[in-house]
Amino acid sequence: MSKYNEQYPPYAENYPMYNPGPSAPYAPPSGPPPDAGAYNADYKSPYEGDRFKPKKRVKDPVFLVLFVAQLAGFCVVSGIVLSEWISSGGLGGGLGGGSSGANTGSSVTLDQHTVYLLLLVTAAALLLSATQLLLTRAFTRMIMHCYAYSLHLSQYVVMDIAKHHMSVYVVAFVSLFIQAGLSVWYAFTAIATYAKWTPGNPSCSTGTACSSSKVAGLIVYETFCYLWTSQVVGNVALATLAGGPFGAWYYLGPRDDGQMPSRPTLSSFARASTFSLGSIAFGSLIVTILELIRIILNAARQNADANGQPIEAVLACCAECFIGCVESMVEYFNKYAYIEIALYGKPYIEAARDTWRLFKDRGIDALVNDSLVGITLTWGAYAVGLLASLFAYLYLRFTHPSYNTDGQYTAPILLFAFLIGLQCSLTLSSAIEAGVSTIFVGLGEDPQILAYRAPELFELIRQNYPQVVQGVSGP
């Protein structure tokens, strides 16, 4: 008997147990799966519509070129400022200095204190994010106890698939380490930019055109590059898992049945990082622009507060909240578009149109369970970001760097720390979200497969959301 057919201990006496079922092959000659009830007539081939075998053609090449160009530009700027900063030996300061209350380092701008600080913040974010995923894996039932049982069951299915496909955790941790490395690179580049072009620092005497506006412009550009690249890294990981172990399990069945490819994760990564990279960069760019606008509005609100301008602060706060809501909706929508891209190799616009059709036919309420999973993981990511910011604040409090005597750099440093913690956690938790979202996309396209693959989960969804089990209408 397949190890996928083993039942789990009952979660509650009144609830059915998850059992993925025998998962018979779905090759066309075998006919529809048995006991699929009224959905036999809707049976489709798992490779329908170029699923898992898209055409080998680069999608959205313009955005692929733009993404590569911005990354190359960031490399050039980073190389210039880091080489200058290293040659000048930094601006002094060090790990743990100033505990007696004395200020340390240069009073001009950010120094080695901040480099060490952000390195430690990145390490802490890495550890906290890994702990969050491991706790979610170990205590799935306890964490989801307060939500709908169908939510608990869907995440339980995903965690079970992950247990039999360790590549899920490999992709999650590799993307996390890449994210951490990117965060360290960004932190060094931002510090070096402050050191090179802030008026009054030693490098200005060598003829460098220093100005606060140049520093602000470069920091905005570097932050944009960091956010866009970070988004692409996380979304490539999501597409890899959706088009790999999760999508293959849903449409082809467990590996023991012989229909799943030998290396579904590797082939999915190859598609996501080559032919579909432009489409992923396209969707990531939209979110990056919104996130950057929100960060700028947040800085404007803080500046208005500091200058005693309450009306401007309130207006900036309202605009920030509005942009944040739009960003959340776009991120939620994009997640399903990336799954369409991963499964079929569609361009972003086509994937977005098909995702909208899925939402329209199903209704967003029918996918509320998935959003609840996202809520729990997002709150965990915010907790990691806040803990990283708290760590940064305590470090500033006990090291007393001279550049922050009046606290003028506290806000941007805490913001950097929060972004690093948030991005690391979101990257790692995307592994779970990818699984749940892929199941719901598969349910929207071919509900009869879930009726056979995990009948208890299908029945719970059918009872609570009958609309979701109806086939998606053709274009």
Side-chain angles (χ1 to χ4, degrees):
M1 179 181 293
S2 170
K3 54 187 176 183
Y4 281 88
N5 299 336
E6 298 175 359
Q7 293 185 341
Y8 293 90
Y11 170 72
E13 294 182 359
N14 296 328
Y15 290 130
M17 295 179 291
Y18 159 61
N19 179 3
S23 302
Y26 282 90
S30 64
D35 302 326
Y39 298 98
N40 284 351
D42 295 330
Y43 168 72
K44 303 175 183 178
S45 166
Y47 297 102
E48 182 179 8
D50 293 331
R51 187 186 294 132
F52 301 120
K53 295 181 179 180
K55 295 180 175 63
K56 295 183 178 180
R57 179 171 57 86
V58 176
K59 313 300 191 303
D60 296 308
V62 173
F63 293 94
L64 176 60
V65 172
L66 288 176
F67 175 72
V68 173
Q70 66 84 26
L71 187 57
F74 180 79
C75 292
V76 171
V77 173
S78 178
I80 293 173
V81 298
L82 287 177
S83 62
E84 177 71 23
W85 188 72
I86 292 173
S87 64
S88 63
L91 291 175
L95 183 65
S99 59
S100 62
N103 295 325
T104 60
S106 168
S107 61
V108 177
T109 184
L110 307 180
D111 58 12
Q112 289 178 346
H113 267 298
T114 316
V115 174
Y116 292 131
L117 165 62
L118 294 180
L119 285 174
L120 292 174
V121 165
T122 301
L126 201 69
L127 179 62
L128 290 170
S129 300
T131 302
Q132 178 195 4
L133 180 63
L134 294 177
L135 288 175
T136 303
R137 182 180 187 270
F139 301 103
T140 302
R141 288 192 244 178
M142 183 182 300
I143 294 173
M144 309 312 298
H145 178 75
C146 58
Y147 297 113
Y149 181 66
S150 53
L151 167 63
H152 153 76
L153 199 55
S154 63
Q155 184 167 348
Y156 205 46
V157 171
V158 169
M159 299 307 292
D160 175 64
I161 298 171
K163 288 177 183 178
H164 295 90
H165 293 271
M166 294 307 296
S167 59
V168 172
Y169 297 105
V170 171
V171 171
F173 280 101
V174 167
S175 62
L176 177 60
F177 280 108
I178 293 175
Q179 191 70 265
L182 180 63
S183 299
V184 171
W185 187 13
Y186 166 69
F188 271 85
T189 302
I191 301 304
T193 300
Y194 275 107
K196 180 173 177 58
W197 280 298
T198 298
N201 69 26
S203 65
C204 287
S205 60
T206 62
T208 304
C210 300
S211 67
S212 298
S213 59
K214 177 179 289 188
V215 172
L218 286 172
I219 290 296
V220 169
Y221 172 73
E222 292 161 3
T223 303
F224 168 79
C225 294
Y226 167 68
L227 293 175
W228 193 8
T229 307
S230 175
Q231 284 279 336
V232 170
V233 169
N235 293 328
V236 166
L238 187 153
T240 298
L241 295 174
F246 295 126
W249 174 87
Y250 188 91
Y251 289 101
L252 300 172
R255 181 176 293 157
D256 292 347
D257 288 344
Q259 297 297 310
M260 183 181 292
S262 59
R263 295 181 179 86
T265 306
L266 186 60
S267 60
S268 179
F269 172 74
R271 298 193 301 270
S273 59
T274 54
F275 302 116
S276 296
L277 185 58
S279 301
I280 294 174
F282 188 178
S284 301
L285 177 61
I286 298 173
V287 176
T288 298
I289 293 174
L290 292 172
E291 189 169 359
L292 188 63
I293 293 174
R294 184 171 57 84
I295 291 174
I296 294 174
L297 289 172
N298 179 270
R301 177 177 59 81
Q302 293 182 353
N303 185 64
D305 283 335
N307 294 333
Q309 300 172 323
I311 297 178
E312 289 82 354
V314 170
L315 291 175
C317 182
C318 294
E320 180 186 356
C321 291
F322 174 76
I323 295 296
C325 292
V326 175
E327 179 187 352
S328 298
M329 289 188 292
V330 172
E331 285 182 327
Y332 184 82
F333 181 83
N334 273 357
K335 180 170 57 179
Y336 293 94
Y338 296 139
I339 294 173
E340 292 283 336
I341 291 171
L343 292 175
Y344 301 97
K346 300 175 181 177
Y348 176 75
I349 295 297
E350 181 182 348
R353 184 175 63 247
D354 292 343
T355 300
W356 173 252
R357 181 161 55 88
L358 177 68
F359 277 20
K360 182 180 65 175
D361 290 348
R362 292 292 172 270
I364 293 180
D365 291 339
L367 298 172
V368 66
N369 287 333
D370 183 36
S371 66
L372 288 176
V373 171
I375 287 173
T376 59
L377 297 175
T378 300
W379 278 112
Y382 279 119
V384 171
L386 290 174
L387 288 174
S389 297
L390 176 62
F391 183 85
Y393 173 78
L394 293 176
Y395 186 91
L396 290 175
R397 182 74 173 81
F398 288 104
T399 57
H400 303 287
S402 294
Y403 67 78
N404 200 44
T405 303
D406 298 326
Q408 65 270 31
Y409 283 106
T410 299
I413 290 174
L414 295 185
L415 179 61
F416 286 162
F418 178 80
L419 284 175
I420 290 172
L422 179 69
Q423 292 293 346
C424 286
S425 182
L426 288 177
T427 298
L428 195 57
S429 63
S430 65
I432 300 174
E433 286 194 87
V436 177
S437 302
T438 303
I439 288 178
F440 276 92
V441 168
L443 180 65
E445 294 180 346
D446 297 299
Q448 78 284 353
I449 297 180
L450 188 65
Y452 179 60
R453 193 79 67 216
E456 291 83 6
L457 175 59
F458 176 84
E459 182 61 22
L460 282 171
I461 295 175
R462 187 190 65 79
Q463 292 176 1
N464 291 279
Y465 306 101
Q467 186 182 7
V468 82
V469 301
Q470 300 174 9
V472 179
S473 59

